[in-house]
Amino acid sequence: MKNKYHYASVSKALDELNENGFNYDFNLNEGDIVKNPHQYEIVHIYRYEGNSNPDDSAIVFGIKSKSGKKGVFVAGFSANSTNEAAQALIKIDIAGRNK
């Protein structure tokens, strides 16, 4: 079984991922994921839920491309915050679990 890590906040997870080489910002370059989702693998997932406000919920993805590029993508969990890249990542995650 792979190690599981839990961090107190999104920023702590991002700091740790950055220290492990996940330094490319897929939020700024989300077109990469949308155009070629088959080129990516989700390596880490961290989910954070707000205590009282669903808009405070977020998910942090640690992503690795087939070419070796490692980076992060942070998505909100509220119903109005889902974009094309987040939808592509959801599909990648589901496909990866069924292998």
Side-chain angles (χ1 to χ4, degrees):
M1 183 170 162
K2 291 183 178 181
N3 291 334
K4 294 183 180 182
Y5 302 98
H6 301 279
Y7 300 103
S9 67
V10 169
S11 62
K12 294 278 188 193
L14 291 173
D15 289 345
E16 183 70 23
L17 285 167
N18 187 47
E19 288 177 19
N20 288 305
F22 290 83
N23 48 31
Y24 187 76
D25 189 343
F26 283 106
N27 286 88
L28 295 177
N29 303 285
E30 65 184 40
D32 297 351
I33 295 168
V34 173
K35 292 177 186 172
N36 298 299
H38 60 281
Q39 294 292 321
Y40 297 93
E41 174 185 14
I42 296 171
V43 182
H44 302 282
I45 299 175
Y46 306 105
R47 184 176 177 186
Y48 299 90
E49 296 186 21
N51 290 333
S52 61
N53 185 348
D55 288 339
D56 292 339
S57 299
I59 188 165
V60 176
F61 293 96
I63 304 166
K64 183 177 177 184
S65 72
K66 289 186 178 181
S67 67
K69 182 188 307 181
K70 296 192 307 187
V72 296
F73 185 87
V74 180
F77 255 106
S78 64
N80 61 358
S81 67
T82 306
N83 61 22
E84 278 187 284
Q87 288 297 321
L89 287 170
I90 290 167
K91 291 175 186 174
I92 291 169
D93 181 44
I94 292 170
R97 286 190 305 203
N98 292 329
K99 288 185 179 179

